[in-house]
Amino acid sequence: MALGVVLTMCILPSCNIIEECGSCEQVTEDKDGNKTFGTTLLLCGDELKEKENEPLETLPDGGVSYWNCY
């Protein structure tokens, strides 16, 4: 019976509730340390892991851009 419930949950779109989810925002920091925050995104599963593992990007002006996930 429990297996049936789990299978039913995965057939429905609500299956993503068993995935890890979090919020991420892109942060741009200039060479003087001033930060600008982008729009917060709700991400789950592989999308969240991709943002968490995305490397720091060095900008032409000497600043950096990265994703802050929580």
Side-chain angles (χ1 to χ4, degrees), residues 22-41:
S23 298
C24 296
E25 60 188 352
Q26 190 167 25
V27 180
T28 303
E29 188 173 338
D30 67 19
K31 63 182 179 182
D32 297 323
N34 300 311
K35 295 180 182 180
T36 304
F37 298 91
T39 302
T40 302
L41 304 174

Side-chain angles (χ1 to χ4, degrees), residues 3-30:
L3 180 60
V5 172
V6 171
L7 290 175
T8 301
M9 285 178 56
C10 286
I11 292 171
L12 300 173
S14 64
C15 187
N16 66 5
I17 63 172
I18 59 175
E19 290 182 324
E20 181 181 355
C21 295
S23 298
C24 296
E25 60 188 352
Q26 190 167 25
V27 180
T28 303
E29 188 173 338
D30 67 19

Side-chain angles (χ1 to χ4, degrees), residues 28-32 56-65:
T28 303
E29 188 173 338
D30 67 19
K31 63 182 179 182
D32 297 323
L56 187 77
E57 180 183 349
T58 302
L59 303 174
D61 66 358
V64 293
S65 179

Side-chain angles (χ1 to χ4, degrees), residues 46-70:
D46 291 340
E47 290 179 325
L48 176 61
K49 290 188 187 325
E50 286 175 19
K51 292 297 182 204
E52 289 175 333
N53 295 324
E54 197 167 299
L56 187 77
E57 180 183 349
T58 302
L59 303 174
D61 66 358
V64 293
S65 179
Y66 57 91
W67 286 95
N68 180 37
C69 297
Y70 46 92

